[in-house]
Amino acid sequence: MQRHSVLSKRILFEEVREIRDGRENQIWYLKISKLALAFAIIHSKPPGKSSKEYTEHLAKTVSEQDFGWKWKVEVLEAEVLRLRQELILNRICPRFRLENRKPDTSAEALLNRESINPASYSSQLEDSGCDVSNDSAFDSLGIASDFHQSEQNVKVPPLNLCHASKEQSLTAPVQFLQHLLEIRKLSEGGILQADFSELENDSFTICNSVSQLLDGLTVFYNNPKFPVSNCLTEAVCVLVSLITDTKLSNHVLKKCFKKLEEFKKNLIQIILRSSSINRFQALHSVSQTLVLLGKNNVLRNSLISLLLSEVRQFAEQLLQAHQVHSAYDITQYENVFPLCMILEQLLQNETEESNVSSSDYEGEEKIKFLKNLDQIILHLSEEFPLFSLYLWRVSVLLNSAQMQID
């Protein structure tokens, strides 16, 4: 037994030594390789350049080559996604033809296209954002009015290719989702026969398309430029139409719920963290997008929970700062009001519906929000009367919804 123990220890020691020797060899080879590379650079450098300058030049050259290959891969991946989009549309409705597809969306054309200069997009005049008293400010961006117009039209018009780098990524997903909505309306009217069960067989295409759409909108809302282009306006209209469609919304929510949740969280954080002087019009457009997302019952419930959590946390932080007479973030204080207004509007819509049902926010988040809320309002009402009023109105709506359920 003792000999067996000694033998085991010796085997273990040999294995440890082999591993250690292997690591030492790897370190040694790495050092030798770096030394050899340094000598090669020194010997091959052109006259008139130092070794450091030549090394930086080589690093830049390699980096540019890698970027070029990455760009080509991205373009080819986009082409693959476009072909899959056409394939699934053909499977859903073989009679449907993409007659409006632009010929220059092929991979070859995109690879040969000159790089787009974003200066033309960013040079657009940005609105001061000071006039937010008018409730139709969102309509001035074209989003709300275009959304209602697209609801009335039987056929969704095709989207032209955009000419700004931020918007270009929106083109493919918006066109694909527009065509889905077009087929849906035509099939509902009996003009076409469509089988939307095909969406179950290709979750990759619908997930990637919706993800690209949400990512593109997030990029814009992080650094908005005004006036808003038709491309971005159409993207919001398509998203809202998609999540409010009685049949398509189920497929989208089933496959893209996590991505939609992430999108809502990003928009909320954009509102809270915005610090630019001319931010109010941008915050208004983000707020209206969140309200439009709330047109879907499932998204509305989770959105209310997120908003309750954020408003509650800020109220607790503000109370703590007030009690110890410390400074608070005035910018975040200003930004929390759009969240309160969104929350109030969503709760109002929920209360006005005749088929009010138990919602996600009726659980943990509602309990946390209402806990000690009276004391918070009492302590903040004198110095922060407007915020306290919003807290009280939200609590009234929450209790009102609960009374209707009971």
Side-chain angles (χ1 to χ4, degrees), residues 7 11 24 68 72 102 128 131 133 141 144 193 196 205 218 225 230 234 245 266 328 340 351 390 392 398:
L7 182 61
I11 294 173
E24 289 178 352
K72 291 179 181 180
K102 300 293 182 180
S128 65
D131 183 13
S133 59
L141 302 182
Q193 294 292 326
F196 286 96
T205 301
T218 302
K225 302 295 179 183
N230 292 333
E234 193 68 26
D245 187 277
N266 287 337
Y328 63 93
C340 293
T351 305
Y390 269 108
W392 176 77
L398 283 172

Side-chain angles (χ1 to χ4, degrees), residues 176-190:
F176 168 65
L177 297 172
Q178 275 184 322
H179 289 312
L180 273 181
L181 291 166
E182 183 179 350
I183 294 174
R184 171 78 174 90
K185 290 183 178 181
L186 293 175
S187 64
E188 190 177 34

Side-chain angles (χ1 to χ4, degrees), residues 113-359:
R113 183 180 299 171
E114 295 182 359
S115 59
I116 299 173
N117 182 11
S120 61
Y121 182 64
S122 60
S123 63
Q124 295 178 8
L125 294 177
E126 184 172 348
D127 193 280
S128 65
C130 295
D131 183 13
V132 293
S133 59
N134 189 352
D135 292 338
S136 64
F138 189 56
D139 288 342
S140 68
L141 302 182
I143 297 177
S145 58
D146 284 2
F147 168 66
H148 293 304
Q149 184 177 1
S150 65
E151 280 187 325
Q152 297 171 1
N153 295 336
V154 176
K155 186 172 182 179
V156 180
L159 179 65
N160 294 327
L161 287 176
C162 305
H163 299 288
S165 58
K166 283 185 181 180
E167 303 165 358
Q168 188 180 9
S169 61
L170 286 172
T171 302
V174 167
Q175 285 182 331
F176 168 65
L177 297 172
Q178 275 184 322
H179 289 312
L180 273 181
L181 291 166
E182 183 179 350
I183 294 174
R184 171 78 174 90
K185 290 183 178 181
L186 293 175
S187 64
E188 190 177 34
I191 301 174
L192 290 175
Q193 294 292 326
D195 181 13
F196 286 96
S197 63
E198 288 291 336
L199 291 175
E200 298 287 348
N201 302 325
D202 190 358
S203 60
F204 172 85
T205 301
I206 187 71
C207 284
N208 272 30
S209 300
V210 174
S211 294
Q212 285 185 5
L213 174 62
L214 298 179
D215 289 341
L217 288 172
T218 302
V219 168
F220 165 74
Y221 284 130
N222 269 309
N223 187 22
K225 302 295 179 183
F226 295 95
V228 176
S229 68
N230 292 333
C231 182
L232 291 160
T233 299
E234 193 68 26
V236 175
C237 295
V238 168
L239 176 62
V240 175
S241 298
L242 192 67
I243 64 173
T244 53
D245 187 277
T246 53
K247 288 188 177 180
L248 293 179
S249 62
N250 293 331
H251 294 284
V252 174
L253 291 177
K254 187 184 299 182
K255 298 175 175 62
C256 312
F257 183 76
K258 289 184 178 180
K259 187 67 180 183
L260 286 164
E261 288 294 290
E262 179 186 344
F263 178 63
K264 291 186 297 183
K265 291 177 182 178
N266 287 337
L267 294 189
I268 291 174
Q269 292 306 312
I270 287 172
I271 292 176
L272 286 174
R273 296 174 182 175
S274 182
S275 58
S276 62
I277 297 175
N278 293 339
R279 69 185 185 273
F280 299 106
Q281 186 178 0
L283 294 186
H284 188 66
S285 63
V286 177
S287 300
Q288 288 299 325
T289 299
L290 285 170
V291 171
L292 290 174
L293 288 174
K295 293 174 73 71
N296 180 283
N297 290 334
V298 176
L299 296 180
R300 177 174 56 198
N301 293 338
S302 60
L303 178 56
I304 289 175
S305 293
L306 289 172
L307 292 169
L308 285 173
S309 176
E310 291 292 345
V311 173
R312 174 185 57 81
Q313 291 179 43
F314 179 80
E316 292 174 352
Q317 293 170 6
L318 187 63
L319 176 61
Q320 184 178 6
H322 176 66
Q323 289 176 336
V324 298
H325 304 287
S326 64
Y328 63 93
D329 189 342
I330 184 64
T331 301
Q332 191 173 18
Y333 176 75
E334 293 173 349
N335 292 343
V336 80
F337 284 99
L339 297 188
C340 293
M341 286 185 267
I342 299 168
L343 184 55
E344 184 178 7
Q345 187 168 348
L346 293 176
L347 289 172
Q348 185 68 38
N349 294 341
E350 181 83 4
T351 305
E352 290 176 353
E353 288 187 0
S354 57
N355 56 340
V356 178
S357 59
S358 180
S359 306

